Every structure is written in structure tokens, then in C-alpha cells.
Amino acid sequence: MMFSSSIHLPANGEHIDYCGYSVLPMAVEQDMLIAVEPVKTHTLCLSNTNPLYPDFSISANNIQIDKTKPLWYNYFLCGFKGIQEHFGLSNPAGMNCLVDGNIPPSSGLSSSSALVCCAGLVTLTMLGMNLSKVELAEICAKSERYIGTEGGGMDQSISFLAEEGTAKLIEFSPLRATDVKLPSGAVFVIANSCVEMNKAATSHFNIRVMECRLAAKLLAKYKGLQWDKVLQLEEVQGRLGISLEEMQAVTEDALHSEPYSQEEICRCLGISLEELRTQILSPNTQDVLIFKLYQRAKHVYSEAARVFQFKKICEEAPDNTVQLLGELMNQSHRSCRDMYECSCPELDQLVDICRKFGAEGSRLTGAGWGGCTVSIVPADKLSSFLASVSEAYYQRSGRNLAPEKESLFATKPGGGALVFLEA
């Protein structure tokens, strides 16, 4: 029995899923694969074809996930535990699993989420249970938080809901997906900066989640809403019933661009430091001294608007579709770099090189702080683009540590998770 789970590249919508906003990802052709056999013992035995990742075994009855160590097998355990808890299973059967895949790790292409989803699908199938793709996506999004990442669900949703040949507009609460046809005259190219970033291993990601939550509460208070019930920036817009553009104007009025201290946030909300730390901040952000609320809210509201603009351009398909989409991607990168501060010098350099050699637009993809860029390139420029970027970024710097086809490649929308059964 073999399982396959594809991963995904957001066309637009970076760092907004956990704020409640729709995103526009597509799956790429790279895969995470797990071969599995059932065993009569209640033991999980996990192996990886990559010798860098050690074997691991654990009792299936007592899954403990160490949040302080984002080791490869903990992502598998997240998916397993999510299914186990959903069905309330106290004594699940064991299995032997061999994991393989060609997704570069810590590259912003959601290899970790692909492994969580693949493990969830493996476990579900081995138990002989059934769930819809939507239910599976929601369980896997929640269970990845066992490792300490406060993500929003985009990665898991596209893993299960992706279809070959199309991107998807993914909406949340309730989770649903709509096809978005990408232009035929262009290809998307992934380029790996070769700077690895594991979002569960650093505090950057979870601090951003908390900054967005705090910004939502201050905006809600400013507009006279019941701020203590608000968790996401989308909720503020929804309760006010105004457009994303109007929300950007409210942000300008309500928040200042200087960082906020914990004390100032307490004054704005009329709460004590103890209440802030125990009732609002997560355990891993209680010691953060300053929060940039204005910048994070500005990014989220502008990025959410870009998602809908991207979809509209794809649907209307004007003659300059590729240029217009490229400009949205360029705007997205500027916002990620300047407002969300989730880029890094190597990503910025790689984006500039990609634009210089023919990309209509280029930006980071995934959480950022390393990982990959995605560029939209006219199909007739693809071969010269690949050769020029390869020389300018990889060969001149000696960065080509991974095989080149894993560092720089064109891709088209792939399918979602699959199960292969072999007699």
C-alpha cells in the first residue's frame, strides 16, 4: 500500500489564512510518499529513505510530541494523533512506514504539512475509516499545532482539495474550494534560496500570528466592537461590514507605525499585564517585548485584497493577464519584505535576479525567512530564464548544494493526496 500527498505553492495569500482570509494556492508536482504495511503489534515504526533522518519507533497507544524538537517523525505523529483523537481510539493498530519524497525540506514548500497530511491519510486508511477531504484537511490543520506551529489551514486544505491543472481559491469557516484557471501563456517557476527555515524551530512565525491577533483586538476596540471575543483580523472586517480597502484606512487611523510594548497594549485594551500574558498571548510569545501591529495588519488586509484581484484577473483573462498577475506578485513580495518582515537578503536577491531575467513577477512563497521564491514567467522565455537564473544565483555563489532540478524548476498545478493500493 502506498500513499501520496502533493504540496503546494500559494499563488497569492501569504500569512493570511490564520487571520481568516481566503488564499489562492495550487499543488505542485513534487510529492511526499509513504509506503506502509500493517503489523499485529501496537507499535509505529517510521523510516525515511533520506539517511539524514533517523529511524524512530513508538507505542501507538502513547503518542508524545516534543514541541521543542521539530524532528521529521514528529510531523508524522501529528497526523497519526489527529486521526486517533478524532475517532477516540484508545488502542490503535501499529504499522511500519517508509517515507520518501522530493520536496526540499525547510524550503517554504510545505514539506512538513505534506507529511502531516500524508500521515493522516495513512492512518485513516489503515484503520478502515472514512472522512471527506474537507474533514481530513481540517483535522490535519489542527493536528499540526501539536508541534507548536499556529498555522491557519491553507497548506493542509490544498494537499487534499487540489486538482490537476487548476489553482484553488480556498475559503475558510466553512472550508470550501473554487477552481481558478491560471493563464496558459505562462509557467510558474520555483527557485530555492538554499536558506533553510523551519517554522516550528523559530519564534518568528508564532510571533506574527500573535501580532495579528493583537492588531485585531485593538482595531475592534477602536471601532467599539466586543474586542475580547475577536481573534482574527477578518472578524473585524466582517463585523464592521466594510471592504478590505476601507479596513486599510481604519488601520491607518487606529494603529501607529511605532512598535507597541506589552504595557501600551494593556493600556489600549484596559487590561493588566497578567491578563495579557495568560489570556491572550501564547506561552511561546509571553516574553516578546514589542509587537508591530500596524505593519502586520496592513500586510494582511492588502494581501487579502490581492488574492481576490488575482482571481478576478484570471477569470477575466485580459491580454496583459501575465503582466497584471506579475505585478500583484511583486506587490506581495514588497509587503512581505517591508510590512511583514518575513523575507531575508537571499530571498530579496533571488527575487531581483528572477525579475531581471524575464519573470513578470516574483516573490517568496511559504512562511519566508528562507525557502523558495515563485516567479511567473512567459512560456517562451522559460529556457533562457532557467539558464540565466541558474548561473546568476547558483553557479556564481556555489549555492547549488542540492541537485539543480530540486533548486530551480518549472511546475504546473498538480493533484491532491492519493492512495495507491497494491495486492
Side-chain angles (χ1 to χ4, degrees), residues 10-65:
N12 260 84
E14 226 54 87
H15 287 283
I16 64 173
D17 56 341
Y18 54 76
C19 296
Y21 279 109
S22 305
V23 288
L24 211 165
M26 72 181 199
V28 300
E29 297 159 294
Q30 279 62 29
D31 285 303
M32 181 74 67
L33 301 165
I34 299 179
V36 59
E37 67 172 355
V39 293
K40 291 195 165 57
T41 64
H42 296 280
T43 304
L44 279 181
C45 294
L46 308 177
S47 299
N48 198 304
T49 57
N50 186 330
L52 292 175
Y53 301 126
D55 293 355
F56 179 78
S57 62
I58 191 171
S59 166
N61 299 321
N62 186 27
I63 301 295
Q64 302 292 326
I65 298 169

Side-chain angles (χ1 to χ4, degrees), residues 314-375:
C314 288
E315 287 170 346
E316 293 176 355
D319 291 343
N320 60 340
T321 289
V322 176
Q323 285 172 286
L324 293 173
L325 296 182
E327 181 47 39
L328 285 177
M329 291 171 69
N330 292 338
Q331 289 172 17
S332 176
H333 186 77
R334 283 195 292 273
S335 185
C336 285
R337 181 190 67 202
D338 301 337
M339 287 293 170
Y340 223 72
E341 296 179 274
C342 61
S343 190
C344 67
E346 294 85 354
L347 279 172
D348 295 338
Q349 181 194 4
L350 187 50
V351 160
D352 289 342
I353 286 170
C354 289
R355 289 179 192 153
K356 178 181 174 184
F357 290 114
E360 291 289 347
S362 186
R363 63 177 191 80
L364 66 84
T365 184
W369 299 287
C372 291
T373 64
V374 55
S375 302

Side-chain angles (χ1 to χ4, degrees), residues 297-315:
K298 283 283 282 187
H299 167 75
V300 169
Y301 289 130
S302 67
E303 184 81 346
R306 280 188 285 275
V307 167
F308 292 110
Q309 290 164 349
F310 201 100
K311 177 176 183 278
K312 186 167 182 273
I313 292 164
C314 288
E315 287 170 346

Side-chain angles (χ1 to χ4, degrees), residues 263-279:
E263 290 76 12
E264 184 178 5
I265 290 166
C266 290
R267 283 198 302 276
C268 291
L269 297 178
I271 58 174
S272 68
L273 268 173
E274 180 66 15
E275 286 173 305
L276 174 68
R277 288 175 181 160
T278 58
Q279 294 175 26

